[in-house]
């Protein structure tokens, strides 16, 4: 086991980060600073000092930190005078994310992060060579003895020892047999860029841009050009221009994220790859998936599309500038999503026909007093604001608010559904964006059922599941029949049936 | 599936209620003291009149809440149930708003017993269970029971599941 320093380029990244974080404040205090007091004079030195401190601390960190990896664990060392060391066994690792941003790419480097659990800190290498990254990744992957034989496990220790060796060989060979399940085609990308709606971001962005940069021009200078808008072809041209720019922008965003997208899996792991300029890789062992979340915002629902997200114990952002990459390609049709889940996670069975809530629940929910409505009504009654010179009648607003709230409740009721099958719990909720959560009995770490007096009177109860994630994931289904809640409780009490003891 | 789960049976001891009520009294005394100080400051510094009015309203509102507080403490105490076996810890709370929790012992990360001055006076200990999802505490068990429970949980929690 050899102890190594982190890659020296980490200092360069520290400098880049310091500059990136503080460049805007620095420009503000140097160029746009007209204050005549001590703050005006010294602000730039303060900002510079902060930048310098951050860089120096990064350099010192490099000199004081070391790491090592043997066959079973990471060992991380820190400190000059008081030394600390931390050992992280590979079996604790929940998922791995790799991220290569532009600077990484220019230098042929990458970053890797091993997530370990809900509460512990992840093992993170912010800068390292690609070879080192794949060496570490290989080490952690081949150590996991329970990888290949998820179904059948021997329990005696001798068996374990023997199996350890044979399996590590197996997994190496298996690791090569990746099947690619999905890679978006050009057509799919174009479709995605329309449904992503990110092109709608352009007009508000343009407006806020113009409003912010009016320091460079005078509004009165602009005013003389306004009559031009009355000429129809200029307006049309302008409008078309904005639409084209918006569409291109939307496409660019989707391309940036998904043109390189690949979803693959082998016997034991799932691999997701995204990003055009800065690349991200995500890999998770199948039996570490804590649950699946299928969500459908309104537009997705209208088009029959769905987003699928894998729930994992570790957090999924490797650095501040990456989005979550645990979601599978978010523009699958529902059917495609279903097939893919079956392909990559054969252990999961998602059942789309679920139990609906009882009719009485609808009335119970519609009749509940709404605090939002009450607050809106009371404020409107006393405030009576004027909009465009018209006084808004408070009872109008009150009625509209009531309709909206009751509509929301109705939609939520209509979309709600639950299912407690032999090994799975499924819960679907949501008014506008519906979310279907699926988890296995042995992946829930706790459950609870609650009942308020009204629910008791109506024979209803609320059930809640808690899963490992970062932060811990709570999901609840309100107003299921009390009998079902009781059944859910008993069902979880028998979870030992599908739990594998160590 | 048809099997019944036996709900939790163990109750909290009488002394625990006494401790909680004393705690409530202390809390109320502190609240009243704060009000007294505020009223004193109001008089002394001649604050605007509406502050005195607001303080008075808050004081009047807080009185019924104080009584509800005692009532709730008694009800909660009477309805607290806990139990554990080699697989699960069960907690049950509340009379009107009932909550049943089912926690597999394998998910327990640590057990602690704690004792403040009040608990010490009545020879009680609080058992605090830390799980992957959060912390739960059983307030005020007789010392002997608390240690026994702690040791029992610790012994069962040794079992590990593959995923942990």
């Amino acid at each position: 086991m050899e102890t190594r320093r982190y890659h020296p380029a980490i200092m360069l990244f520290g400098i880049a980060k310091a500059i990136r974080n503080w460049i805007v404040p620095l420009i503000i205090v140097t160029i746009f600073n007209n204050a005549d007091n001590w703050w005006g004079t010294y602000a730039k030195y303060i900002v510079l000092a902060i930048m310098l401190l951050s860089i120096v601390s990064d350099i010192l960190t490099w000199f004081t930190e070391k790491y090592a990896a043997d066959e079973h664990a990471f060992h991380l060392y820190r400190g000059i005078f008081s030394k600390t060391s931390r050992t992280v066994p590979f079996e604790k690792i929940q998922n791995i994310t790799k991220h290569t941003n532009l600077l990484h790419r220019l230098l042929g480097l990458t970053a890797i992060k091993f997530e370990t659990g809900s509460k512990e800190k992840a093992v993170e290498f912010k800068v390292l060579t690609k070879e080192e990254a794949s060496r570490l990744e290989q080490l952690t992957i081949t150590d996991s003895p329970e990888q290949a034989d998820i179904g059948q496990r021997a329990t005696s220790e001798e068996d374990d020892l023997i199996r350890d060796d044979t399996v590590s060989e197996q997994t190496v060979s298996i690791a090569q047999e990746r099947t690619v399940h999905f890679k978006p085609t050009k057509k799919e990308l174009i479709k995605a860029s329309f449904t992503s709606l990110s092109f709608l971001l352009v007009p508000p962005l343009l407006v806020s841009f113009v409003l912010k940069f009016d320091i460079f021009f005078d509004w009165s200078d602009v005013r003389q050009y306004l009559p031009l808008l009355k000429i129809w072809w200029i307006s049309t041209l302008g409008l078309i221009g904005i639409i084209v720019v918006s569409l291109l922008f939307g496409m660019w965003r989707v391309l940036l994220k998904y043109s390189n997208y690949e979803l693959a899996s082998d016997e034991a792991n799932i691999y997701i790859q995204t990003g055009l300029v800065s690349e991200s890789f995500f890999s998770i062992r199948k039996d570490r998936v804590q649950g699946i979340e299928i969500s459908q915002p309104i537009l997705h629902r209208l088009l029959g599309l769905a987003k699928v997200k894998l729930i994992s114990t570790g957090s999924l952002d490797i650095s501040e500038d990456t989005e979550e990459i645990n979601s599978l390609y978010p523009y699958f049709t529902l059917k495609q999503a279903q097939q893919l889940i079956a392909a990559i996670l054969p252990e999961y069975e998602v059942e789309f026909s679920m139990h609906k809530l009882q009719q009485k629940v609808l009335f119970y929910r519609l009749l509940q007093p709404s605090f939002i409505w009450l607050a809106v009504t009371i404020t409107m009654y006393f405030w009576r604001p004027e909009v465009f010179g018209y006084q808004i009648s408070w009872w109008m607003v009150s009625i509209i608010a009531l309709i909206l709230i009751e509509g929301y409740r109705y939609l939520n009721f209509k979309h709600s559904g639950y299912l407690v099958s032999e090994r799975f719990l499924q819960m679907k909720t949501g008014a506008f964006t519906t979310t279907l959560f699926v988890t296995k009995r042995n992946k829930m770490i706790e459950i609870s059922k609650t009942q308020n007096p009204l629910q008791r009177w109506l024979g209803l109860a609320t059930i809640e599941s808690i899963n490992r994630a970062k932060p811990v994931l709570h999901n609840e289904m309100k107003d299921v029949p009390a009998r079902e809640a009781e059944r859910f409780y008993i069902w979880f009490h028998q979870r030992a049936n599908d739990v594998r003891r160590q | 599936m048809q099997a019944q789960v036996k709900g939790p049976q163990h109750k909290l001891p009488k002394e625990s209620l006494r401790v909680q009520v004393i705690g409530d009294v202390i809390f109320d005394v502190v609240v009243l003291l704060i009000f007294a100080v505020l009223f004193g400051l109001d008089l002394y510094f001649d604050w605007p009149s509406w502050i005195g009015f607001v303080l008075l309203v808050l004081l009047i509102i807080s009185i019924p809440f104080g009584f509800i507080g005692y009532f709730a403490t008694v009800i909660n105490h009477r309805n607290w149930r806990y139990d554990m076996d080699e697989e699960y810890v069960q907690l049950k709370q509340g009379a009107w708003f009932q909550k049943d929790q089912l926690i597999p012992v394998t998910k327990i990360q640590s057990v602690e017993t704690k004792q403040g001055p009040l608990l010490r006076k009545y020879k009680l200990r609080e058992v605090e269970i830390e799980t992957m999802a959060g912390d739960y505490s059983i307030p005020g068990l007789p010392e002997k029971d608390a240690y026994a429970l702690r040791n029992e949980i610790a012994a069962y929690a040794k079992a590990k599941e593959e995923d942990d």
Side-chain angles (χ1 to χ4, degrees):
Chain A
M1 185 176 83
E2 106 189 81
T3 315
R4 301 184 185 200
R5 276 196 197 288
Y6 291 89
H7 197 281
I10 207 164
M11 291 180 276
L12 189 69
F13 277 77
I15 294 169
K17 193 177 143 208
I19 291 174
R20 201 185 57 206
N21 287 349
W22 290 98
I23 193 77
V24 175
L26 191 65
I27 289 173
I28 289 172
V29 296
T30 46
I31 298 172
F32 296 105
N33 188 357
N34 305 319
D36 221 7
N37 45 20
W38 70 269
W39 169 248
T41 341
Y42 294 111
K44 54 180 173 240
Y45 300 113
I46 295 174
V47 174
L48 273 177
I50 295 174
M51 273 174 90
L52 209 67
L53 267 180
S54 132
I55 292 167
V56 168
S57 96
D58 275 333
I59 292 172
L60 282 180
T61 310
W62 181 78
F63 276 105
T64 55
E65 290 189 346
K66 279 180 181 169
Y67 71 93
D70 57 21
E71 290 99 78
H72 303 291
F74 285 120
H75 305 272
L76 310 170
Y77 307 98
R78 201 155 51 103
I80 323 168
F81 300 114
S82 71
K83 302 201 175 207
T84 54
S85 73
R86 178 176 165 219
T87 302
V88 182
F90 292 153
E91 62 190 36
K92 288 265 177 207
I93 291 168
Q94 301 289 330
N95 58 266
I96 304 172
T97 35
K98 262 197 283 185
H99 179 68
T100 316
N101 67 22
L102 197 59
L103 188 53
H104 282 120
R105 278 185 94 163
L106 289 176
L107 299 169
L109 302 168
T110 187
I112 193 165
K113 187 169 169 185
F114 301 90
E115 279 291 351
T116 47
S118 314
K119 290 182 179 170
E120 303 100 89
K121 225 174 136 228
V123 179
E124 192 174 4
F125 299 87
K126 283 191 179 132
V127 179
L128 76 180
T129 60
K130 285 192 169 139
E131 297 78 54
E132 180 68 357
S134 60
R135 182 183 78 93
L136 295 176
E137 198 183 354
Q138 262 322 300
L139 273 177
T140 58
I141 286 177
T142 44
D143 182 59
S144 323
E146 55 269 330
Q147 238 190 358
D149 54 347
I150 283 159
Q152 16 165 323
R153 290 183 47 75
T155 35
S156 79
E157 270 184 31
E158 293 149 81
D159 268 0
D160 263 327
L161 285 178
I162 300 164
R163 218 157 31 90
D164 247 346
D165 296 340
T166 49
V167 169
S168 7
E169 280 164 28
Q170 268 174 25
T171 38
V172 174
S173 62
I174 284 168
Q176 265 87 53
E177 292 170 27
R178 270 189 210 186
T179 30
V180 176
H181 296 284
F182 181 74
K183 228 178 143 84
T185 59
K186 271 207 190 82
K187 207 177 129 199
E188 275 164 321
L189 281 174
I190 291 170
K191 202 171 125 198
S193 63
F194 278 99
T195 38
S196 80
L197 281 190
S198 53
F199 58 83
L200 286 184
L201 278 175
V202 168
L205 276 181
L206 265 178
V207 170
S208 73
F209 183 79
V210 168
L211 289 181
K212 268 200 191 119
F213 280 75
D214 60 358
I215 39 171
F216 296 120
F217 57 86
D218 210 344
W219 279 110
S220 49
D221 293 343
V222 178
R223 196 158 293 154
Q224 55 181 321
Y225 296 108
L226 282 182
L228 278 179
L229 285 181
K230 286 199 182 130
I231 304 169
W232 67 270
W233 60 267
I234 293 187
S235 317
T236 319
L237 224 61
L239 211 61
I240 290 174
I242 289 177
I243 289 172
V244 168
V245 167
S246 305
L247 286 180
L248 286 179
F249 174 75
M251 255 179 219
W252 170 243
R253 270 179 55 116
V254 169
L255 276 183
L256 214 53
K257 200 166 170 199
Y258 293 111
S259 64
N260 236 344
Y261 183 90
E262 190 182 288
L263 170 66
S265 77
D266 57 29
E267 192 87 356
N269 298 288
I270 298 170
Y271 307 90
I272 300 170
Q273 176 189 335
T274 65
L276 186 64
V277 180
S278 54
E279 294 173 323
S280 299
F281 296 88
F282 169 76
S283 71
I284 184 168
R285 242 171 59 196
K286 286 182 183 178
D287 58 332
R288 296 281 203 213
V289 175
Q290 306 291 327
I292 307 175
E293 219 175 74
I294 302 174
S295 59
Q296 288 185 294
I298 294 188
L299 196 71
H300 276 65
R301 210 163 48 244
L302 290 178
L303 297 169
L305 301 178
K307 296 181 181 180
V308 183
K309 187 168 143 194
L310 305 175
I311 309 290
S312 147
T313 304
S315 72
L316 294 140
D317 45 330
I318 188 157
S319 71
E320 53 267 40
D321 48 22
T322 41
E323 301 93 359
E324 289 186 1
I325 50 173
N326 56 335
S327 41
L328 310 185
Y329 188 69
Y331 310 107
F332 286 136
T333 61
L334 202 54
K335 194 154 184 214
Q336 243 179 331
Q338 204 177 354
Q339 284 165 351
L340 267 166
I341 292 170
I344 61 174
L345 285 168
E347 277 193 81
Y348 275 84
E349 293 151 18
V350 181
E351 184 65 59
F352 281 95
S353 68
M354 289 183 275
H355 297 302
K356 291 277 163 201
L357 296 178
Q358 292 161 298
Q359 203 65 39
K360 64 183 173 192
V361 173
L362 178 61
F363 297 111
Y364 164 60
R365 287 188 181 175
L366 288 182
L367 290 176
Q368 271 171 23
S370 160
F371 291 105
I372 298 174
W373 175 74
L374 217 62
V376 166
T377 306
I378 291 172
T379 23
M380 289 311 283
Y381 185 77
F382 286 107
W383 183 30
R384 312 231 172 153
E386 287 186 11
V387 176
F388 303 124
Y390 295 100
Q391 173 143 47
I392 303 172
S393 41
W394 63 274
W395 51 270
M396 256 317 226
V397 178
S398 171
I399 287 173
I400 291 171
L402 190 66
I403 290 172
L404 285 179
I405 288 166
E406 297 294 23
Y408 182 88
R409 286 174 172 173
Y410 173 73
L411 281 179
N412 195 0
F413 168 80
K414 208 183 120 216
H415 293 146
S416 289
Y418 65 95
L419 185 71
V420 183
S421 61
E422 204 188 329
R423 287 182 300 137
F424 301 97
L425 167 68
Q426 292 190 193
M427 301 196 280
K428 187 178 171 193
T429 50
F432 298 119
T433 297
T434 63
T435 308
L436 168 61
F437 174 71
V438 186
T439 187
K440 289 205 289 192
R441 178 158 63 172
N442 56 354
K443 293 297 182 194
M444 287 186 269
I445 53 175
E446 262 168 58
I447 61 141
S448 70
K449 68 180 164 79
T450 52
Q451 206 176 34
N452 64 33
L454 273 172
Q455 283 180 321
R456 191 154 42 251
W457 181 58
L458 291 165
L460 304 171
T462 297
I463 56 176
E464 186 187 22
S465 69
I466 306 181
N467 281 74
R468 297 181 75 186
K470 205 175 189 172
V472 174
L473 186 71
H474 294 250
N475 272 296
E476 65 172 14
M477 188 77 218
K478 284 185 179 146
D479 308 326
V480 302
R483 217 166 358 94
E484 287 292 310
E486 185 57 33
R487 205 170 72 90
F488 171 67
Y489 195 84
I490 296 168
W491 173 77
F492 188 67
H493 196 270
Q494 291 160 340
R495 72 191 276 284
N497 296 348
D498 32 69
V499 164
R500 301 182 293 270
R501 294 278 174 143
Q502 244 176 14
Chain B
M1 199 94 265
Q2 266 65 46
Q4 281 294 314
V5 175
K6 208 168 136 220
Q9 301 296 324
H10 294 291
K11 296 180 182 181
L12 295 179
K14 268 204 193 97
E15 292 83 7
S16 154
L17 177 61
R18 213 166 289 166
V19 169
Q20 284 178 38
V21 168
I22 293 173
D24 281 359
V25 169
I26 292 173
F27 180 78
D28 285 339
V29 167
V30 169
V31 168
L32 287 179
L33 273 178
I34 291 173
F35 268 113
V37 169
L38 284 174
F39 274 118
L41 288 173
D42 183 26
L43 273 180
Y44 189 76
F45 289 107
D46 223 6
W47 282 345
S49 58
W50 63 270
I51 292 186
F53 178 70
V54 168
L55 281 177
L56 201 65
V57 169
L58 283 178
L59 181 63
I60 291 170
I61 291 175
S62 70
I63 288 169
F65 269 102
F67 282 107
I68 292 172
Y70 289 114
F71 197 52
T73 305
V74 174
I75 298 253
N76 278 342
H77 177 268
R78 204 172 282 167
N79 289 285
W80 233 104
R81 299 279 188 285
Y82 70 92
D83 221 331
M84 73 158 309
D85 56 29
E86 43 187 85
E87 285 183 62
Y88 297 96
V89 172
Q90 291 189 66
L91 303 175
K92 189 180 172 77
Q93 298 163 59
W96 293 333
F97 294 87
Q98 285 180 356
K99 181 162 192 169
D100 287 75
Q101 282 163 305
L102 188 54
I103 307 162
V105 282
T106 46
K107 306 298 178 196
I108 292 173
Q109 288 176 321
S110 71
V111 206
E112 257 178 72
T113 65
K114 281 184 179 172
Q115 195 177 44
L118 265 183
L119 287 170
R120 183 163 328 134
K121 181 152 183 294
Y122 289 94
K123 295 207 165 43
L124 297 176
R125 274 184 169 264
E126 180 187 345
V127 179
E128 208 170 85
I129 303 169
E130 191 199 348
T131 71
M132 287 176 182
D135 301 338
Y136 302 97
S137 85
I138 303 174
L141 292 182
E143 279 186 334
K144 216 176 70 192
D145 293 3
Y147 286 130
L149 185 70
R150 181 194 64 185
N151 294 342
E152 207 179 348
I153 292 176
Y156 291 142
K158 241 184 234 158
K160 277 275 165 267
E161 284 171 22
E162 195 183 74
D163 299 333
D164 302 337

